[in-house]
Amino acid sequence: MKGNVDFTNCRRVFGKAYNGANGKKIAVEYEGKQYMLKFPPSGRAKPTELSYTNSCFSEHIACSIFNILGVTAQETMLGTFDVEGKTKVVCACRDFTADGKQLFDFCSIKNTILDSDSNGNGTELMDILETIEKQQFVEPGRLLEYFWDVFVIDALLGNFDRHNGNWGFLYDLVSETTVPAPVYDCGSCLLPQADESVMKSVLENEEELNKRVFRFPTSAVKIDGRKINYYDFLTKAENADCNAAVKRIYHRLNMEEINHFIEDVPYIGDLQKTFYKRYIGARVSLIFTPAYKMSTADDECRGR
């Protein structure tokens, strides 16, 4: 893994700009490839140093775990960038549109469904599934599998902000083909606002940990106007397509590999590494494993 990369003197790509609410973003060229540098949001308050930089760590760790679990995400690495004499830790995200491909987010695709009453921003599960079935950009069955794989891993990582603007499709202008885009915008995973005191509290107090597993964070996807509680939804095992994704991802899950990866993440100390490993491990044991057992219960009954 690359670490201690200083992007300050990299060539800026001024013909590229990125939207998004959290933190500044610029395009640079590094080793002949184009990257988007994501800077940690400063905020109006005076956050601790850890909470100031956590979104960049969340982005890198979460995207890497998606790739470890076999769901293609953007390539990322951590580095630094000097701004007015201050060194900031940034997340460098390989720009998967740099070769001319166009990114269409799901919000835009949702707006193409003319016989739907919901708007592009709406995250009702029923409306999302209807759009997946009716859209003509990617084969619906393939897109449905992709959606649930991402949902399940977001549940594993505690992502509270997978809205319709941060997942979508890549369109190739030459071949005129469309595929699901690599997973991107994962800065809302892994409790990005947890400062050192929160981390210690979660590690030392089981009740504090359980609150962040069973109660929050919730999904941005809604049912009847309410954000989905990951634990409740997955352990009820009422959606066959979601159950299939749980089984797919569960069989790829290797906590030893994930923990080894976290140990090698640069710029963070032992407390933060221990926190990430404990938090993910708790979500595996308290949400993911029970969900897997529930999802396979019917299979076992049919096999008897």
Side-chain angles (χ1 to χ4, degrees):
M1 175 186 297
K2 292 183 179 180
N4 302 316
V5 178
D6 186 353
F7 295 100
T8 307
N9 296 317
C10 289
R11 185 179 76 85
R12 290 280 300 272
V13 181
F14 290 101
K16 189 78 175 183
Y18 308 95
N19 62 11
N22 294 323
K24 306 293 186 180
K25 304 174 182 69
I26 63 172
V28 301
E29 184 179 290
Y30 174 72
E31 294 188 344
K33 299 174 183 178
Q34 188 168 301
Y35 287 84
M36 173 183 66
L37 297 188
K38 299 186 75 169
F39 290 74
S42 56
R44 294 183 179 179
K46 294 182 179 179
T48 65
E49 184 177 350
L50 278 175
S51 65
Y52 180 72
T53 59
N54 274 355
S55 60
C56 289
F57 296 131
S58 293
E59 185 78 45
H60 173 59
I61 295 172
C63 287
S64 300
I65 290 175
F66 267 97
N67 283 318
I68 287 171
L69 293 175
V71 176
T72 302
Q74 62 184 353
E75 299 174 30
T76 62
M77 65 176 126
L78 296 172
T80 58
F81 195 98
D82 291 341
V83 181
E84 297 180 346
K86 296 182 179 180
T87 299
K88 299 181 184 255
V89 176
V90 298
C91 182
C93 308
R94 176 86 177 274
D95 189 334
F96 47 72
T97 66
D99 58 357
K101 292 185 176 66
Q102 290 184 317
L103 174 65
F104 297 103
D105 60 33
F106 190 71
C107 179
S108 302
I109 302 303
K110 205 162 178 282
N111 281 333
T112 68
I113 309 301
L114 301 180
D115 59 349
S116 173
D117 293 330
S118 65
N119 61 39
N121 291 321
T123 57
E124 276 288 330
L125 177 60
M126 184 178 298
D127 295 335
I128 291 173
L129 298 180
E130 179 187 37
T131 298
I132 289 174
E133 181 181 352
K134 291 183 176 180
Q135 57 77 38
Q136 299 180 9
F137 294 84
V138 175
E139 193 277 316
R142 179 184 180 191
L143 183 59
L144 186 66
E145 182 174 307
Y146 170 85
F147 168 79
W148 284 118
D149 282 353
V150 173
F151 180 90
V152 166
I153 299 176
D154 277 342
L156 178 67
L157 301 175
N159 191 350
F160 58 83
D161 197 35
R162 183 71 67 194
H163 54 74
N164 294 341
N166 60 18
W167 70 283
F169 308 84
L170 280 183
Y171 177 68
D172 190 314
L173 293 168
V174 177
S175 64
E176 296 186 337
T177 56
T178 308
V179 296
V183 177
Y184 61 97
D185 208 351
C186 295
S188 296
C189 295
L190 302 172
L191 303 178
Q193 297 304 315
D195 61 15
E196 186 171 329
S197 64
V198 171
M199 291 183 183
K200 288 181 178 178
S201 177
V202 169
L203 290 172
E204 296 169 359
N205 188 324
E206 188 174 358
E207 183 179 348
E208 290 298 317
L209 174 63
N210 287 342
K211 283 195 301 186
R212 291 164 175 82
V213 172
F214 296 119
R215 289 170 49 190
F216 64 87
T218 54
S219 172
V221 180
K222 301 176 181 178
I223 294 179
D224 296 331
R226 299 189 63 177
K227 292 184 176 181
I228 290 175
N229 177 291
Y230 284 124
Y231 172 78
D232 291 342
F233 185 83
L234 290 181
T235 56
K236 285 180 181 176
E238 294 176 344
N239 185 292
D241 295 312
C242 182
N243 293 345
V246 168
K247 287 181 275 192
R248 280 193 298 273
I249 302 304
Y250 185 86
H251 288 299
R252 302 173 194 168
L253 184 63
N254 184 330
M255 280 305 300
E256 183 177 349
E257 181 179 5
I258 290 174
N259 288 340
H260 180 73
F261 163 77
I262 292 173
E263 280 295 327
D264 286 341
V265 174
Y267 306 109
I268 61 175
D270 290 341
L271 172 66
Q272 205 160 350
K273 291 176 181 180
T274 302
F275 170 77
Y276 288 138
K277 291 187 290 185
R278 177 75 175 107
Y279 181 64
I280 296 171
R283 295 187 74 85
V284 169
S285 62
L286 299 176
I287 298 178
F288 207 47
T289 300
Y292 174 76
K293 291 179 179 178
M294 288 297 296
S295 69
T296 56
D298 288 342
D299 296 341
E300 293 174 356
C301 289
R302 284 194 294 268
R304 292 174 181 171

